[in-house]
Amino acid sequence: MLNINNYSLICNKKVFISIEQLQIVGGSKVNIFANNDAGKSLFLRSIHGDYHKYKGEIKIKEKSAKFYLKRKKTILLESLPHILPQETVWKNIVLPLPNISLRQKQKITDLCNIAGLTDKIAVKTRNVSYSALKFIELIRAVVQLPYLILLDDFDTFFDRGNYLKALNIFDYVLDNGAIVLATSREKLNSFDEFYSIRSNKMEKV
């Protein structure tokens, strides 16, 4: 569960986003949409623990977001892929998993099949498309089973066909009680809850 109360996001001494109360239960896909420069990226970074210029309370599973600074339980995916170009697709996916069980290996294989990466497993990531890189990041995120997956500008990641594949991949973490929180410029399809940012206020729509 994610709880945010009496929140004000501050940048250059200006309040970009204010939230009276926001509560999201586990297993939910949530879309926050607004124009560019509305503070969406900084908002996700504040949940992730990388941006601290805010007032108010952020709680993840009843503990302050600051509690998770040393041991992250959130994963943030931004527009720029964070990938090792000299390594293979498989190596990039399993990088944060020191010991891979047979069950995890099978799940990763299944997710790669959904994403259309099966024939690229042994290919170095410098030789694959942008959408493939984003699928690598997404699969790497879901197999870690974090509490939250935060997706910045998710509407720029995929075309329609790949977008539907990504929604399918989300099911793995949603079934385990995680939250998927995605920002975009326009309202996205097939999400459970929607929030818009207007006049510096985030409100449910």
Side-chain angles (χ1 to χ4, degrees), residues 1 17 36 46 50-51 54 59 62 67 69 75 84 117 122 124 162 166 168 196:
M1 181 179 290
I17 300 174
N36 290 337
S46 71
D50 288 347
Y51 188 81
Y54 66 87
K59 282 192 173 183
E62 306 305 323
F67 175 83
L69 289 179
I75 295 177
L84 298 177
L117 294 177
K124 291 185 177 180
N162 284 330
N168 197 350
S196 67

Side-chain angles (χ1 to χ4, degrees), residues 6-19 37-46 50-56 58 200:
N6 301 316
Y7 173 93
S8 295
L9 177 71
I10 301 167
C11 182
N12 296 325
K13 299 182 180 180
K14 175 184 175 183
V15 175
F16 263 56
I17 300 174
S18 62
I19 302 171
D37 300 321
K40 302 188 299 291
S41 298
L42 292 180
F43 174 65
L44 293 188
R45 287 178 57 200
S46 71
D50 288 347
Y51 188 81
H52 306 286
K53 294 181 180 179
Y54 66 87
K55 297 178 181 178
I58 300 174
N200 304 113

Side-chain angles (χ1 to χ4, degrees), residues 2 10 20 23-24 39 52 57 59 67 74 81 89-90 97 116 120 124 129-130 139 143 152 161 163 165 180 203:
L2 173 67
I10 301 167
E20 289 186 10
Q23 184 179 84
I24 301 171
H52 306 286
E57 179 182 69
K59 282 192 173 183
F67 175 83
T74 59
V89 168
W90 182 265
L97 303 174
K120 300 180 178 67
K124 291 185 177 180
S129 66
Y130 175 80
I139 294 170
V143 296
D152 194 21
Y163 175 84
K165 293 177 184 178
V180 173
E203 296 180 334

Side-chain angles (χ1 to χ4, degrees), residues 69-88:
L69 289 179
K70 292 185 178 180
R71 190 173 181 181
K72 295 282 190 182
K73 291 296 184 180
T74 59
I75 295 177
L76 172 62
L77 301 186
E78 301 171 290
S79 295
L80 181 66
H82 295 278
I83 296 291
L84 298 177
Q86 302 297 328
E87 299 291 351
T88 64

Side-chain angles (χ1 to χ4, degrees), residues 1-3 23-26 59-62 147-148 177 179:
M1 181 179 290
L2 173 67
N3 279 295
Q23 184 179 84
I24 301 171
V25 298
K59 282 192 173 183
I60 301 169
K61 288 207 170 186
E62 306 305 323
Y147 293 161
L148 284 95
I179 294 170

